[in-house]
Amino acid sequence: MRIAIQGGRVIEPGHLDALADILIEDDKIVNVTRRAETESITPATDRRMQHDRIIDATAKIVCPGLIDMHVHLREPGHDYKETIESGCRAAAWGGFTAVCAMPNTNPANDNEQVTEYILSKAVQANFARVYPVGAISKGLEGRQLCEFEKLKAGGAIAVSDDGCPVMDDRLMQMALETAKRCGLLVISHCENLKLQAGGVMNAGPVAEQMGLPGIPNSSESAMVVRDIALSERTDAPVHIAHVSTAESVQAIREAKLKGIAVTAETAPHYFTLTDEAVREYGTYAKMNPPLRSAKDRAAIRTGLADGTIDVIATDHAPHAVHEKTVEFDKAANGIIGLETAVALGLKLVEEGVLSLTDLIEKMSTGPARILGLEKGIRMGGPADITIIDPDVIYKVDANKFQSLSQNCPFDGWRMKGKPVLTMVEGQIVYESGFE
Ligand SMILES: [Zn+2]
């Protein structure tokens, strides 16, 4: 199978940003050729002899396959919210060629049998690569360390107790030491449950006016500071999940300056919304960590721009309608994000926060570097490619999502730009508007 992607703006962060043609043979990229801007596309009919398919990517962005390193696929155990199949389909439609699957399933992914089950389902679904994240502690209970070597052998790429913090400092230190030895990344959900103290939204004027208990910034940043200290002590890398506060950004910035092996991600909702959104969207603006103040959102944006925050990940968290249409304090935490992430990222570019290259880096080669994956548009590399139409204007319709759930505050938003083709290992898993 030979596929040519022609005439697109090919962006390989740090290496290439030019009009170029890409040739794919089976599962590999075999050629990348720059073209002069004036050169026109060879008519498809002339080349049909040599290629099984020619994709005209004129006026489109062609970039390394996007990687979402924070996704809840909900299977096993909660397949009424999402299945591995529906989640991977949503990933493909959202331009993602790979996702990391968080372990807070039922049973939790705390042993290699669950890891292998997730991988087998992902292969069946055949929409996106799935990299399972194993649990740090058995049952995510924060007491007993999982067997990291077995998780790794089963196919886990990282470990995390995401959804629950590891409150025990000693256990977290052991996790970092053991993970380093096994070659696994530790992804930390930073939340101090004692400081969190039963809050359900960001602590501040909005929570006070709404009569809801607040979650202070310190419940996140205190744990970020702890994890940085443990990373420094053990000389093991730590990746901070879903950063939401200005204090966390500052702590990570200072740690990086000191050369500590800390990396960080934020999610589109933290750079797009503030806690004011709770008034408008109710439980569809409830997540953990919560949406914060305008000052925090500005700090997140600065952190993305100056490189403190390496990655944009969605924290895609599907929930059924009945889990969201309840009183605010009883509603489940989280929103889905796979199918709106690219558009929200492009808003940052339009607003001048990030360059297009930086955005793509934070959604593809950035996570690949942190996870130790081979990625990028280069000869001989795997043909994982995303094509984005940056100009198409449309309204988000959550009813048309591939995800089984619709818990999305961005439903009805006017957006500019969306993925139009997703290719995994040379196979087109999603396309829209090419034929
Ligand atoms: Zn989390």
Side-chain angles (χ1 to χ4, degrees):
M1 189 78 171
R2 279 163 72 90
I3 300 176
I5 300 173
Q6 298 187 336
R9 178 179 170 191
V10 178
I11 300 181
E12 161 74 22
H15 296 282
L16 180 69
D17 182 354
L19 294 180
D21 298 338
I22 299 173
L23 183 62
I24 294 126
E25 265 180 27
D26 300 322
D27 57 344
K28 295 248 179 321
I29 294 169
V30 294
N31 209 356
V32 183
T33 327
R34 270 172 198 259
R35 56 164 68 197
E37 282 205 32
T38 49
E39 197 181 337
S40 65
I41 302 263
T42 312
T45 44
D46 294 359
R47 295 274 196 96
R48 279 269 153 81
M49 301 294 281
Q50 294 121 295
H51 302 306
D52 298 293
R53 175 92 192 263
I54 292 180
I55 295 161
D56 179 358
T58 306
K60 310 271 198 304
I61 297 156
V62 181
C63 63
L66 305 182
I67 301 168
D68 188 342
M69 64 184 290
H70 197 133
V71 169
H72 298 274
L73 291 177
R74 302 300 191 207
E75 204 185 349
H78 305 118
D79 56 5
Y80 64 96
K81 300 174 195 254
E82 195 81 283
T83 62
I84 290 166
E85 202 268 350
S86 66
C88 288
R89 189 195 297 265
W93 262 246
F96 292 99
T97 56
V99 298
C100 291
M102 286 297 164
N104 57 341
T105 46
N106 186 20
N109 183 12
D110 63 4
N111 65 76
E112 69 278 17
Q113 279 86 15
V114 179
T115 308
E116 285 162 7
Y117 171 83
I118 292 167
L119 281 170
S120 72
K121 285 277 179 178
V123 168
Q124 271 174 37
N126 203 22
F127 282 112
R129 296 176 196 261
V130 172
Y131 297 109
V133 177
I136 289 174
S137 67
K138 291 256 194 267
L140 288 87
E141 286 171 353
R143 284 197 279 271
Q144 193 191 344
L145 217 58
C146 291
E147 293 175 271
F148 288 3
E149 261 159 51
K150 286 188 179 167
L151 282 168
K152 168 104 178 171
I157 196 167
V159 287
S160 179
D161 270 2
D162 188 54
C164 313
V166 178
M167 283 293 287
D168 183 332
D169 307 335
R170 282 269 317 151
L171 192 76
M172 190 60 166
Q173 182 172 316
M174 273 167 58
L176 286 162
E177 287 164 347
T178 313
K180 188 189 179 191
R181 215 165 42 238
C182 301
L184 288 166
L185 175 71
V186 174
I187 301 174
S188 182
H189 167 115
C190 287
E191 180 183 18
N192 184 313
L193 293 173
K194 289 178 184 158
L195 298 174
Q196 194 269 2
V200 295
M201 69 171 290
N202 184 47
V206 184
E208 280 162 30
Q209 283 158 26
M210 296 186 78
L212 291 167
I215 303 169
N217 283 19
S218 57
S219 86
E220 175 179 298
S221 58
M223 287 302 245
V224 171
V225 169
R226 179 201 71 173
D227 287 345
I228 287 168
L230 293 178
S231 168
E232 184 175 26
R233 165 100 199 266
T234 57
D235 199 24
V238 69
H239 179 76
I240 310 295
H242 42 55
V243 172
S244 73
T245 75
E247 293 84 354
S248 302
V249 174
Q250 185 53 24
I252 295 161
R253 184 180 289 123
E254 285 167 15
K256 284 188 165 189
L257 279 173
K258 284 171 73 180
I260 298 166
V262 59
T263 54
E265 73 190 29
T266 192
H269 37 277
Y270 301 117
F271 62 67
T272 306
L273 302 172
T274 66
D275 55 359
E276 288 286 343
V278 175
R279 297 187 206 273
E280 192 170 346
Y281 305 109
T283 59
Y284 279 14
K286 185 185 181 193
M287 59 277 291
N288 187 21
L291 296 170
R292 302 287 187 179
S293 69
K295 181 174 150 274
D296 293 301
R297 179 177 61 180
I300 295 290
R301 288 170 166 235
T302 306
L304 281 165
D306 71 13
T308 302
I309 299 175
D310 308 81
V311 166
I312 294 170
T314 66
D315 198 2
H316 179 83
H319 290 294
V321 173
H322 72 267
E323 293 163 316
K324 282 293 199 181
T325 50
V326 291
E327 281 168 67
F328 193 88
D329 56 342
K330 295 190 181 69
N333 279 311
I335 60 168
I336 54 171
L338 285 167
E339 292 168 84
T340 48
V342 166
L344 292 167
L346 287 169
K347 260 185 199 295
L348 282 185
V349 176
E350 192 150 300
E351 289 165 20
V353 177
L354 287 182
S355 68
L356 188 54
T357 306
D358 284 348
L359 174 69
I360 289 165
E361 217 241 313
K362 288 178 200 297
M363 296 181 79
S364 63
T365 46
R369 170 176 49 83
I370 292 164
L371 293 163
L373 299 171
E374 185 197 1
K375 280 290 178 302
I377 295 181
R378 47 179 72 108
M379 278 185 259
D384 285 19
I385 294 170
T386 301
I387 304 182
I388 295 166
D389 180 341
D391 299 315
V392 59
I393 292 171
Y394 60 101
K395 230 171 149 182
V396 175
D397 183 354
N399 290 314
K400 293 201 177 126
F401 283 161
Q402 300 301 311
S403 172
L404 281 188
S405 294
Q406 283 90 39
N407 51 313
C408 171
F410 308 112
D411 186 28
W413 278 38
R414 226 173 109 84
M415 302 283 203
K416 191 178 174 202
K418 67 154 106 170
V420 287
L421 187 142
T422 308
M423 176 185 279
V424 181
E425 275 193 296
Q427 202 190 330
I428 297 168
V429 290
Y430 159 73
E431 67 174 294
S432 164
F434 281 97
E435 279 190 326

